[in-house]
């Protein structure tokens, strides 16, 4: 039976079956072999998916991620709970010193957003121990937000910086091209890529990207993973609007939880963080481009490559009328002529490659966040069309890692956990049928 022959109910079952199949004992791998460990933001999205039908399992996903949290508060991008030889770079390359092997960099802090939703689902389901579990995870999230501000915004710009493209979650986005070109291709680690053994190399980052990615890992490992030494040594440092927006939004969700789980000081601390991030984001609006732009902290220049990150501030900021009209018109323009949107790089950009990872393809979790931000900003119709388009793409092509916007073809790894979670969540949010829906 293909996805097309299934009823909605069957497809929901198929999505749950993917989460069950990728379960490795309370945590979910993104997909077998290509990504065989626990990834930070993947798990947060997956927890929101689990919260729809199993709040206990949703908590477990977050609790297992927190097992990897460092003493300084950072939640790493990968937790290597169990060995696997199908991924590079493994724990021996990172050389970190946590109790459980982890990578040494982080990923977008969707965690706080997930925690609020998991908590609300658990309370609704009457799950025993919901208060205790939320309370412990709230403290973990708070420590991680403090780490973000301390380690990644030491100059109080109100913007947090990434020191490695992998931290952004959009590994080879054109947003990094100019800054990454300054990073040497020399490495002390021998590169043994495994990804191109699982997926067509034409869809993956290039070898030269990998050399630079590993050069950065070598550099930070040589700093003993000390945040201050890394900040000083970093040859790649971008104050990223996508990361900052997600952190700001997660902070708002923690502020909500803090009404029950926080002290008076923690509530004040969170609202100070929130204000600082919103102010920082607001300064990155460029009316002539109809979007927000990141800041290259090494060159001091705006990152003007158009990518999905430019719209991510919608998840945190309330736009004024002029901004809202400009952003929605721009998002509509990015959809023109495509089978499915939103492309991570628009087709009018010279960097557009419809099949190569973060250089054009559509990712369900990106659409999840952008639609959420549009809805928050009163653009309900466009939000719904993006959700319906995503649901339709998954129903036609399966629970793939990402989709070619020009054909709708499913690409990358298959049986992907966060695509399954996105399907369950977006189908409910989109309301009416997504099947056959056109791009907005
Ligand atoms: C890739 C993606 C990243 C994701 C990971 C696991 O590295 O770029 O966003 O978290 O795969 O799915």
């Amino acid at each position: 039976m293909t996805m097309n022959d299934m009823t909605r109910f069957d497809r929901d079952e198929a999505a749950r079956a993917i989460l069950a199949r990728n379960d490795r004992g309370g945590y979910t791998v993104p997909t077998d072999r290509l990504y065989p460990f626990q990834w930070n933001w993947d798990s947060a999205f997956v927890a929101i998916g689990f919260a729809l039908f199993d709040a206990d399992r949703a908590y477990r996903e977050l609790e297992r991620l927190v097992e990897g949290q460092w003493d300084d508060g950072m939640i790493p991008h990968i937790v290597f709970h169990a060995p696997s030889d199908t991924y590079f770079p493994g724990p021996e390359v990172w050389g970190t010193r946590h109790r459980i092997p982890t990578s040494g960099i982080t990923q977008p802090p969707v965690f706080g957003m997930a925690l609020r939703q998991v908590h609300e689902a658990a309370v609704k389901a009457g799950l025993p121990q919901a208060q205790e579990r939320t309370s412990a995870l709230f403290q973990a999230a708070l420590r991680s937000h403090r780490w973000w501000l301390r380690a990644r915004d030491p100059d109080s710009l109100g913007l947090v910086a990434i020191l490695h493209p992998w931290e952004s979650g959009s590994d080879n986005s054109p947003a990094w091209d100019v800054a990454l070109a300054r990073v040497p291709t020399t490495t002390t680690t021998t590169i043994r890529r495994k990804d191109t053994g699982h997926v067509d190399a034409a869809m993956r980052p290039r070898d030269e990207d990998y050399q630079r990615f590993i050069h950065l890992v070598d550099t930070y490992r040589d700093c003993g993973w000390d945040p201050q030494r890394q900040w000083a040594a970093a040859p790649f440092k971008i104050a990223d609007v996508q990361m900052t927006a997600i952190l700001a939004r997660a902070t708002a969700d923690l502020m909500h939880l803090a009404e029950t789980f926080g002290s008076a000081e923690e509530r004040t601390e969170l609202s100070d963080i929130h204000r600082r991030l919103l102010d920082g984001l607001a300064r990155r609006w460029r009316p002539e481009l109809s979007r927000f732009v990141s800041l290259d902290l090494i060159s001091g220049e705006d990152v003007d490559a158009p990518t999905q990150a430019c719209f991510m501030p919608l998840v945190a900021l309330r736009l004024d009328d002029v901004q809202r009209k400009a952003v929605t018109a721009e998002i509509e323009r990015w959809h023109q002529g495509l089978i499915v949107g939103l492309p991570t790089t628009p087709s009018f950009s010279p960097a557009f490659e419809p099949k190569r990872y973060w250089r054009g393809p559509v990712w369900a979790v990106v659409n999840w966040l952008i639609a959420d931000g549009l809805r928050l900003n009163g653009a309900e119709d466009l939000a719904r069309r993006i959700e319906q388009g995503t649901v339709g793409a998954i129903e036609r092509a399966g629970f793939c890692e990402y989709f070619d916007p020009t054909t709708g073809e499913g690409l990358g790894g298959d049986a992907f956990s966060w695509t399954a979670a996105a399907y369950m969540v977006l189908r409910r949010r989109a309301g009416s049928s997504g099947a056959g829906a056109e791009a907005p």
Side-chain angles (χ1 to χ4, degrees):
M1 191 160 57
T2 69
M3 282 280 282
N4 268 325
D5 303 326
M6 293 181 182
T7 64
R8 281 306 175 85
F9 178 76
D10 294 336
R11 292 187 194 113
D12 233 58
E13 285 292 292
R16 288 186 200 196
I18 286 174
L19 297 187
R21 172 167 149 194
N22 291 338
D23 187 326
R24 296 291 180 275
Y27 72 93
T28 311
V29 298
T31 189
D32 193 33
R33 298 182 64 78
L34 181 62
Y35 294 116
F37 308 107
Q38 185 174 23
W39 258 258
N40 181 330
W41 75 325
D42 295 63
S43 274
F45 286 112
V46 160
I48 300 173
F50 273 125
L52 295 174
F53 62 96
D54 186 349
D56 174 62
R57 181 62 184 76
Y59 273 125
R60 283 301 290 146
E61 190 75 32
L62 298 180
E63 288 161 353
R64 296 241 46 198
L65 185 64
V66 164
E67 289 173 20
Q69 185 170 27
W70 288 14
D71 293 341
D72 67 3
M74 183 185 78
I75 303 183
H77 102 294
I78 307 175
V79 184
F80 299 106
H81 290 287
S84 166
D85 61 5
T86 64
Y87 178 83
F88 173 87
E92 61 296 338
V93 176
W94 294 96
T96 59
R97 286 187 299 267
H98 187 64
R99 305 180 277 286
I100 304 177
T102 71
S103 69
I105 59 173
T106 188
Q107 255 191 338
V110 178
F111 187 94
M113 298 172 62
L115 179 58
R116 176 174 175 182
Q117 295 192 44
V118 172
H119 171 74
E120 286 170 0
V123 169
K124 204 163 155 201
L127 192 77
Q129 256 104 55
Q131 306 298 323
E132 291 85 336
R133 294 175 89 173
T134 299
S135 179
L137 292 171
F138 170 80
Q139 286 302 325
L142 184 57
R143 293 201 301 117
S144 98
H145 284 221
R146 287 181 183 134
W147 173 86
W148 270 108
L149 276 290
R150 201 174 55 239
R152 296 309 180 80
D153 184 23
D155 301 324
S156 298
L157 299 177
L159 299 165
V160 289
I162 56 168
L163 303 186
H164 194 300
W166 285 341
E167 295 197 306
S168 70
S170 324
D171 306 1
N172 62 333
S173 168
W176 322 133
D177 285 358
V178 173
L180 199 60
R182 286 185 227 119
V183 175
T185 52
T186 49
T187 63
T188 48
T189 297
T190 309
I191 298 179
R192 295 198 172 86
R193 288 184 72 168
K194 303 278 174 83
D195 57 325
T196 43
H198 308 304
V199 171
D200 183 349
M203 298 184 201
R204 296 285 309 174
R206 301 182 185 84
D207 278 344
E208 201 181 301
D209 298 326
Y210 257 77
Q211 288 162 349
R212 296 191 158 104
F213 294 157
I214 298 303
H215 179 95
L216 292 172
V217 174
D218 288 343
T219 304
Y220 304 141
R221 191 187 54 237
D222 290 348
C223 293
W225 298 109
D226 174 76
Q228 281 178 344
R229 289 178 59 198
Q230 289 179 72
W231 187 264
F236 178 94
K237 197 187 289 181
I238 294 192
D240 175 24
V241 288
Q242 173 163 300
M243 191 69 92
T244 304
I246 292 172
L247 184 66
R249 169 56 182 279
T251 303
D253 286 328
L254 292 186
M255 285 161 69
H256 183 82
L257 290 171
E259 287 166 21
T260 312
F261 298 99
S263 64
E265 293 75 44
E266 287 164 348
R267 284 194 285 275
T268 308
E269 182 185 1
L270 283 166
S271 51
D272 289 348
I273 294 176
H274 191 231
R275 177 60 23 226
R276 169 167 155 187
L277 298 173
L278 293 189
D279 289 348
L281 276 176
R283 286 192 285 271
R284 306 309 301 158
W285 171 249
R286 295 292 174 270
E288 66 284 10
L289 298 175
S290 300
R291 48 186 162 84
F292 293 83
V293 296
S294 294
L295 173 64
D296 186 327
L297 293 179
I298 292 185
S299 68
E301 284 173 5
D302 283 0
V303 176
D304 53 17
T307 70
Q308 87 291 338
C310 307
F311 303 121
M312 211 48 89
L314 273 72
V315 300
L317 282 179
R318 300 296 157 125
L319 305 186
D320 63 32
D321 284 352
V322 175
Q323 289 175 318
R324 186 174 52 247
K325 282 204 190 90
V327 162
T328 49
E330 185 65 3
I331 291 179
E332 301 267 9
R333 181 165 88 99
W334 286 32
H335 279 85
Q336 275 164 25
L338 298 179
I339 299 286
V340 52
L342 177 84
T344 44
T345 293
S347 56
F348 56 77
S349 160
F352 178 68
E353 293 183 75
K355 293 192 186 334
R356 199 185 288 279
Y357 228 45
W358 289 93
R359 304 182 74 84
V362 173
W363 293 70
V365 294
V366 165
N367 284 0
W368 176 345
L369 292 176
I370 302 271
D372 192 60
L374 284 166
R375 187 169 280 118
L376 260 183
N377 278 285
E380 171 69 33
D381 177 59
L382 182 55
R384 193 180 286 259
R385 280 185 287 141
I386 289 179
E387 289 164 347
Q388 288 177 347
T390 314
V391 167
I394 297 170
E395 292 182 351
R396 287 188 296 266
F399 298 102
C400 302
E401 188 175 7
Y402 57 88
F403 303 87
D404 179 334
T406 62
T407 62
E409 188 188 354
L411 301 169
D414 63 2
F416 226 84
S417 297
W418 69 8
T419 312
Y423 179 76
M424 291 190 281
V425 170
L426 297 188
R427 184 166 88 66
R428 283 162 178 78
R429 291 195 188 164
S432 55
S433 170
E438 295 304 317

